[in-house]
Amino acid sequence: MFTTLIRVIIIYLVVLALVRLMGKRQIGELQPFELVIMLIFADLATIPMTDSSVPLLLGIIPLVTLVLLQYFLSLVSRKSIFFQNLINGKPVIVIGPNGIIYQNLKALNMSIDDLQEALRGCNVSNFDEVQYAIIETNGKMSVILKKANSPVTNEDMNIQVTENTFPITLVDDGKYNKENLELAKVDNNFISSILSKQNIKSIKDVLVLNIDNNGKIYLQTKKGNCKSIQIDFNGGNNW
Amino acid sequence: MNKVIFFIILLIALLGVTIGEQLYIDKTTNTMLAQIHSMQATIVNNQNQLNSDEVLDAFYDLRDYWESREGTMAFFVDHKNISNVGQCIVRLRAALEENDFTLSKTEIYLMHEVTYVFKKLSTFSIHNIF
């Protein structure tokens, strides 16, 4: 049993490291060859975990080989459009300006019901609203609405707006995030002064404290409600 | 570390382990087969007195060599595939101590066959791939 325990830990760590190496896309949007690798991964990893007659190396070597293969295929498909099309396939337009493209729909083995279902998944209920609908290589549908059905934007209304900023967390569950403090070019005293103005005695009482480039702070204590505070902050465009 | 460098290191490590494994198994099984041949000759030459020091010493050499390599090989190959040789060694020892020539001969031939098959199955060949 102890051997199994150790083997499970080793295989788990190896698989985790290998999945991390493959990149974030594997976790969400899988290309066909990536999906194949992930499916095989699941099976391969479990065999040496429990069968102690199988050496760990026999379990790890196929996993590493698959990751190298995946990396090689990604590299080749990134360098060559021909290989990219060969390995990943091409996005297919199923609805164009002139309506549904039946040949493409047939080539994808999709029915009208499937198309409608995919459109509903994109919050579109009527074919007439769609300028283009594209089935991406990962199987997801992308929809470009006709201008008349697109949501109104600030640009359409000629409204002047400031750019969105990206907030970073300076205090996380009662602890300073040192990396983000450096990024924002502030120190513990900066946080302490904010907290004292809000009558918060200790950093340990803070659940989260975020700040954006414009000095807008989101502060929530562990026992209280959240607060939005605006301060003068010179750290704009630091991150 | 640059990802490309990491993958190159990973590839080199992978090739190193797999090629190293093949060389190790090949060398070990070749030596083992040579020792088995030598043991066969010793048994035939001493068929009247198999539990003599000469035969038992030859047997211990053979057993010690296999046991010293078995653990390392267990890093690479399925334990089930190498356990047959160990079983033959145990039975051969009993046969030698009992001075049973027929059984000793059978066991040494069996050991040769098992080692040979293990070598064939574990080393690279087109036949093994398909």
Side-chain angles (χ1 to χ4, degrees):
Chain A
M1 291 293 274
F2 187 69
T3 312
T4 307
L5 177 90
I6 302 293
R7 292 168 78 91
V8 169
I9 292 169
I10 293 171
I11 292 284
Y12 174 77
L13 292 176
V14 169
V15 172
L16 187 68
L18 294 176
V19 171
R20 286 281 294 110
L21 259 178
M22 285 203 287
K24 288 197 194 312
R25 265 160 44 79
Q26 271 62 26
I27 300 162
E29 301 162 8
L30 295 172
Q31 292 294 340
F33 74 100
E34 295 161 346
L35 178 70
V36 169
I37 282 177
M38 290 308 287
L39 287 175
I40 303 172
F41 240 57
D43 249 14
L44 271 179
T46 50
I47 298 166
M49 274 186 186
T50 47
D51 188 353
S52 58
S53 67
V54 178
L56 264 184
L57 268 180
L58 273 190
I60 291 169
I61 282 174
L63 294 173
V64 174
T65 309
L66 278 176
V67 170
L68 284 170
L69 210 60
Q70 186 269 349
Y71 180 72
F72 178 71
L73 286 177
S74 305
L75 199 72
V76 170
S77 64
R78 214 166 54 220
K79 299 277 178 195
S80 151
I81 292 172
F82 171 75
F83 273 106
Q84 192 174 17
N85 292 339
L86 190 74
I87 295 165
N88 296 335
K90 283 183 188 173
V92 180
I93 300 173
V94 285
I95 299 178
N98 298 324
I100 298 167
I101 304 170
Y102 181 61
Q103 291 91 332
N104 289 353
L105 209 61
K106 217 163 85 173
L108 289 170
N109 205 15
M110 273 180 91
S111 65
I112 295 294
D113 283 346
D114 295 333
L115 186 61
Q116 273 179 317
E117 191 181 323
L119 281 176
R120 284 196 296 271
C122 299
N123 294 322
V124 178
S125 51
N126 198 334
F127 291 123
D128 199 36
E129 298 170 23
V130 180
Q131 180 81 355
Y132 286 101
I134 303 145
I135 302 293
E136 304 290 356
T137 53
N138 58 20
K140 287 188 176 172
M141 178 181 268
S142 300
V143 172
I144 299 167
L145 295 172
K146 286 181 177 166
K147 204 66 188 166
N149 299 99
S150 301
V152 179
T153 63
N154 288 324
E155 197 179 350
D156 294 335
M157 303 292 287
N158 285 325
I159 299 172
Q160 294 290 319
V161 289
T162 52
E163 283 302 322
N164 281 336
T165 58
F166 179 70
I168 57 171
T169 303
L170 300 181
V171 181
D172 181 354
D173 201 3
K175 293 182 194 78
Y176 292 111
N177 185 322
K178 288 179 183 168
E179 201 178 317
N180 287 348
L181 285 175
E182 278 176 27
L183 205 62
K185 293 181 180 157
V186 293
D187 56 12
N188 300 0
N189 295 332
F190 173 80
I191 305 287
S192 302
S193 69
I194 295 169
L195 296 184
S196 62
K197 280 178 195 165
Q198 302 300 319
N199 295 323
I200 298 166
K201 287 173 189 168
S202 167
I203 185 149
K204 287 179 184 168
D205 299 330
V206 178
L207 182 65
V208 63
L209 191 155
N210 280 2
I211 189 165
D212 70 12
N213 299 81
N214 298 328
K216 191 174 180 186
I217 290 175
Y218 177 90
L219 171 66
Q220 175 146 14
T221 53
K222 287 177 183 171
K223 289 176 184 170
N225 295 329
C226 64
K227 289 178 186 171
S228 280
I229 311 154
Q230 183 66 48
I231 59 160
D232 288 331
F233 181 56
N234 300 326
N237 301 324
N238 277 342
W239 61 90
Chain B
M1 196 195 304
N2 188 330
K3 210 169 180 180
V4 178
I5 296 171
F6 188 82
F7 274 105
I8 290 171
I9 292 170
L10 208 60
L11 180 66
I12 292 168
L14 187 73
L15 290 174
V17 169
T18 48
I19 294 170
E21 173 231 12
Q22 289 292 297
L23 294 174
Y24 189 83
I25 292 175
D26 192 55
K27 186 171 174 269
T28 304
T29 47
N30 280 340
T31 311
M32 187 66 186
L33 286 170
Q35 292 224 16
I36 291 170
H37 282 139
S38 163
M39 186 75 210
Q40 275 174 345
T42 310
I43 288 172
V44 172
N45 293 339
N46 296 276
Q47 52 185 284
N48 297 325
Q49 189 63 47
L50 289 174
N51 47 12
S52 67
D53 286 346
E54 186 192 349
V55 180
L56 287 176
D57 285 347
F59 167 78
Y60 291 138
D61 284 347
L62 177 74
R63 186 196 63 180
D64 291 348
Y65 177 75
W66 181 251
E67 285 181 352
S68 69
R69 300 300 170 110
E70 199 178 10
T72 311
M73 273 203 290
F75 279 119
F76 314 123
V77 296
D78 195 329
H79 297 186
K80 288 169 197 157
N81 294 343
I82 48 176
S83 61
N84 287 340
V85 181
Q87 288 170 20
C88 287
I89 287 174
V90 172
R91 289 198 297 264
L92 177 63
R93 182 183 184 171
L96 292 175
E97 284 174 355
E98 292 294 321
N99 199 22
D100 187 335
F101 176 66
T102 312
L103 190 57
S104 300
K105 211 168 69 171
T106 308
E107 289 304 333
I108 198 81
Y109 285 151
L110 194 60
M111 195 189 300
H112 182 276
E113 189 60 22
V114 165
T115 311
Y116 184 75
V117 170
F118 166 65
K119 176 186 153 79
K120 281 282 168 201
L121 289 177
S122 302
T123 48
F124 177 79
S125 71
I126 299 294
H127 184 260
N128 276 348
I129 291 174
F130 295 101

